[in-house]
Amino acid sequence: MNLRDRLVAQLETARHRSTVLTAIDDTELVAQHSPLMSPLVWDLAHIGSQEELWLVRDVGGREALRPEIDGLYDAFQHSRASRVALPLLTPEEARAYVAEVREKSLDVLERHPLTGRRLEEAGFAFGMIVQHEQQHDETMLATHQLRVGGPLLSAPPPPPGRALPAREVYVPAGESVQGTSTEPWALDNERPAHTVSLPAYWIDTHPVTNAEFTAFVEAGGYGDPRWWSVVGFQHVLDEGLVAPRFWSRDSGGTWFRRRFGVVEPVPGDEPVMHVSFHEAEAYARWVGKRLPTEAEWEKAARWDPEAGRSRRFPWGDGDPTPEHANLGQRHLQPAPVGAYPAGASPLGVEQLIGDVWEWCSSGWEPYPGFEAFPYREYSEVFFGGDYKVLRGGSFGTDAAAVRGTFRNWDHPIRRQIFSGFRCARDASGV
């Protein structure tokens, strides 16, 4: 498939997903289901607004369609909690707007040589907009999880899991490459490629499961300050946390979870999800381990010791397929441990891509030689602060919006995202 056809296909895939997520009653679209999230209709029109700004106006040089709404859909002008009170486009108007924008974007794509400025080279602007829409699709999926009421979405279950031969693997000391300078649609915070040197360490072969995390809960982990940072334990006390978000226990002691409007027993063999960085860190301490650094996570995911190079993905350089990873909202839950043997890294680490975003111990900082592109507000304005890095994507992340170098970040208290973790430990003396 040539570049132009690939871009058309990915734009269509993203729009189909946006349509599925918003093909619901208008009252659901305009409601604010949580102060943490925007109304779904805001996300929909914001997708169109960003596409118009970059593809129609900038790359295409066309006149603005709706310049009067630019400010309404600027994420930096209005907090998520305040957007419901704005004079937003109605669902009908939003659908018509994004359709008109897409028609003009496809016309620009048909005529553009896909070379020229850095923004245009190899279709970067179009790839950026694909990723932007897919990222907001995952945000809208999280909003669906936060809404109260019966299920509005459906999907088949993921494939079955299998037992893995080991709980952790040894990663030898040495140099590896982190980041990329060659991935054509990589975002600015993934760049540039640079060499890192790490001591030896051990890392889990799979994310921590619900069954494993339940043991921490039932051992009184949430009430024992030994396992928590000072800030983390204060958050537990302030919020009254006793288990992952969306979990509840019945009178018989069985744990249930609410998943997109369905209440069901917590499946023990799936990666634990909807846990904050603080919860992940506390569990890791409880089992005598720690969270991996971002560099450790990426080396486990990409480094091929036999070839002496870093791959695009754990399994190699080819794009993800349904055999490699749980991505793209094909399933509305993480897959059981061991479900994707074809996605293993050369070191034998599995499910690094898809299923759940994985918290790392690293703060959100630029790589050496970082350059903001094409705008500071994507990455640069967030560096520093209390943000923590997440890696690998989730079942709600599309293949176009994740790779071995992709970096995500959020506040350490966040639990509405599809977040889990795996543990690591030092290998001193090995």
Side-chain angles (χ1 to χ4, degrees):
M1 183 181 296
N2 66 36
L3 175 59
R4 202 177 310 275
D5 290 344
R6 181 185 174 203
L7 285 165
V8 170
Q10 294 205 0
L11 285 165
E12 290 176 347
T13 297
R15 185 53 45 85
H16 173 73
R17 187 176 174 198
S18 300
T19 301
V20 168
L21 288 162
T22 56
I24 57 179
D25 188 85
D26 285 359
T27 59
E28 297 278 8
L29 288 177
V30 301
Q32 185 160 41
H33 298 288
S34 166
L36 293 172
M37 313 301 278
S38 309
L40 290 166
V41 73
W42 185 93
D43 283 291
L44 179 61
H46 171 76
I47 286 167
S49 177
Q50 290 298 295
E51 184 173 330
E52 183 193 350
L53 286 171
W54 289 102
L55 301 188
V56 178
R57 299 187 201 176
D58 191 312
V59 175
R62 312 287 178 89
E63 290 185 3
L65 297 176
R66 298 288 298 267
E68 75 279 6
I69 68 172
D70 288 355
L72 292 176
Y73 298 102
D74 184 333
F76 286 87
Q77 288 193 31
H78 309 283
S79 68
R80 287 180 173 181
S82 70
R83 291 169 188 168
V84 69
L86 298 173
L88 303 176
L89 298 181
T90 67
E92 182 180 4
E93 290 171 332
R95 292 186 183 105
Y97 172 61
V98 299
E100 184 179 8
V101 170
R102 177 52 53 87
E103 181 181 2
K104 293 185 179 300
S105 295
L106 291 175
D107 185 62
V108 171
L109 176 57
E110 183 179 352
R111 300 165 185 269
H112 199 281
L114 303 179
T115 59
R117 295 179 298 160
R118 181 180 173 189
L119 182 67
E120 300 163 332
E121 196 66 38
F124 176 84
F126 295 91
M128 178 181 72
I129 289 301
V130 166
Q131 293 178 83
H132 176 264
E133 182 162 356
Q134 288 287 5
Q135 288 168 350
H136 274 271
D137 286 343
E138 183 166 359
T139 298
M140 289 195 287
L141 186 64
T143 303
H144 272 269
Q145 170 64 10
L146 285 162
R147 65 172 286 276
V148 175
L152 298 178
L153 304 172
S154 63
R162 75 189 202 290
L164 300 187
R167 186 64 184 87
E168 58 182 4
V169 295
Y170 177 72
V171 183
E175 292 185 341
S176 60
V177 174
Q178 185 175 2
T180 179
S181 297
T182 58
E183 187 75 26
W185 297 349
L187 303 174
D188 59 6
N189 61 64
E190 301 171 66
R191 300 174 180 273
H194 56 286
T195 300
V196 295
S197 182
L198 296 173
Y201 60 99
W202 294 82
I203 192 166
D204 288 354
T205 54
H206 62 78
V208 170
T209 65
N210 286 319
E212 291 169 331
F213 199 85
T214 298
F216 170 69
V217 174
E218 295 186 342
Y222 278 81
D224 192 335
R226 289 181 297 167
W227 315 126
W228 302 80
S229 67
V230 172
V231 173
F233 194 64
Q234 188 61 53
H235 181 66
V236 168
L237 296 176
D238 290 345
E239 299 297 322
L241 305 185
V242 297
R245 186 157 191 177
F246 307 113
W247 283 29
S248 60
R249 184 159 45 183
D250 69 7
S251 58
T254 300
W255 286 100
F256 288 82
R257 71 177 179 189
R258 180 168 59 83
R259 180 178 61 86
F260 299 108
V262 175
V263 177
E264 59 192 7
V266 172
D269 57 356
E270 285 184 14
V272 67
M273 185 169 61
H274 296 303
V275 291
S276 68
F277 170 85
H278 295 311
E279 290 164 291
E281 184 181 51
Y283 174 91
R285 286 202 185 104
W286 181 69
V287 295
K289 297 185 179 182
R290 57 175 175 79
L291 297 180
T293 66
E294 182 179 14
E296 288 173 336
W297 188 97
E298 186 166 329
K299 182 175 182 178
R302 299 183 61 211
W303 184 246
D304 183 343
E306 185 172 335
R309 70 177 186 90
S310 290
R311 301 167 159 192
R312 292 180 68 222
F313 293 97
W315 54 85
D317 295 329
D319 290 338
T321 71
E323 287 69 46
H324 289 126
N326 181 10
L327 293 166
Q329 202 179 310
R330 286 194 306 272
H331 314 293
L332 289 173
Q333 63 196 93
V337 164
Y340 294 97
S345 76
L347 295 168
V349 187
E350 300 197 12
Q351 286 168 276
L352 287 153
I353 301 294
D355 288 308
V356 291
W357 288 101
E358 298 186 17
W359 288 107
C360 296
S361 63
S362 303
W364 180 238
E365 300 291 348
Y367 288 156
F370 167 83
E371 178 186 355
F373 175 78
Y375 58 104
R376 293 183 60 248
E377 289 79 10
Y378 181 72
S379 304
E380 186 175 357
V381 298
F382 296 102
F383 289 136
D386 72 342
Y387 293 105
K388 293 296 183 180
V389 170
L390 298 111
R391 286 302 209 107
S394 75
F395 68 89
T397 307
D398 189 77
V402 72
R403 48 200 157 261
T405 58
F406 191 89
R407 308 172 74 199
N408 192 5
W409 69 97
D410 213 330
H411 295 292
I413 63 171
R414 291 290 184 247
R415 309 204 306 164
Q416 86 279 7
I417 57 178
F418 305 117
S419 53
F421 65 101
R422 74 181 69 219
C423 296
R425 63 184 176 93
D426 298 341
S428 302
V430 175

